[in-house]
Amino acid sequence: AKEILTNLKEQGHNLYIITLRGYYREQEKLDAEKKLDELCIKFDGIYWSVKNKIGKCKELKIDVMIDDSPENVMQFANENISVLHFKDAGIKNVKLKNVTKVTSWMDIYRAIHNIKLKDKI
C-alpha cells in the first residue's frame, strides 16, 4: 500500500482518507492514526467519523473512490463516482458500469491509470 500510494502522490494525484472510523469508538481512530504515522504517507486530507461519504466526495471533487463496503460502492456508483471495490472472495460482488473490482494495491494502481486514460479519450 505504501509504495502504491507514494507513487500515486508523486504522479500528482490527491489522496484523501474518508472514513467512518472513530464515529462509534475513538480507539479505532487512534489505532488508524498510529498506523498511518508509521507509513509516513502524505495525504491531502483525512476525514474521520464521516457518515455521509458521498457528500464529502462531492465537496472534495473526488473522481475515484476506493471502498470495501458493497453498500457504499453502490452509492458511489449511483452518484457517478468511479469506484474501486476493494474486496475479497467473501464480499458480495457489485456489478455496475463505473465499478471496478480490485483485490490488491497493484490492481488499484492499474485501475486508476485505466480510469484516467479513459477520461483523456
Side-chain angles (χ1 to χ4, degrees):
K2 179 180 179 173
E3 182 180 343
I4 298 298
L5 291 170
T6 300
N7 285 340
L8 290 169
K9 188 68 184 151
E10 288 172 354
Q11 294 166 8
H13 295 278
N14 292 325
L15 302 176
Y16 298 97
I17 293 176
I18 303 169
T19 182
L20 187 62
R21 280 182 179 82
Y23 185 82
Y24 296 106
R25 291 186 317 210
E26 179 71 13
Q27 190 61 46
E28 286 181 333
K29 175 185 172 188
L30 297 174
D31 292 344
E33 285 177 326
K34 181 179 177 186
K35 184 65 175 173
L36 290 172
D37 285 345
E38 291 170 6
L39 291 174
C40 298
I41 299 168
K42 300 293 181 198
F43 289 93
D44 295 281
I46 301 176
Y47 301 90
W48 302 101
S49 305
V50 177
K51 285 188 85 170
N52 181 2
K53 288 185 177 183
I54 298 292
K56 184 55 77 174
C57 285
K58 287 182 174 183
E59 175 188 324
L60 296 170
K61 297 180 171 72
I62 289 175
D63 53 0
V64 178
M65 185 68 176
I66 303 165
D67 208 297
D68 62 348
S69 162
E71 293 78 18
N72 288 345
V73 167
M74 289 189 305
Q75 288 177 357
F76 292 125
N78 289 332
E79 292 291 329
N80 294 317
I81 296 170
S82 293
V83 59
L84 305 181
H85 188 188
F86 203 168
K87 65 183 286 312
D88 61 31
I91 297 177
K92 179 176 85 173
N93 204 18
V94 177
K95 295 181 182 179
L96 295 170
K97 71 174 185 164
N98 54 340
V99 174
T100 303
K101 180 182 94 168
V102 294
T103 58
S104 70
W105 282 98
M106 195 63 209
D107 283 352
I108 289 170
Y109 186 78
R110 286 186 203 110
I112 288 172
H113 284 283
N114 288 339
I115 290 167
K116 294 303 177 183
L117 283 174
K118 286 180 196 174
D119 290 347
K120 290 180 181 180
I121 296 176

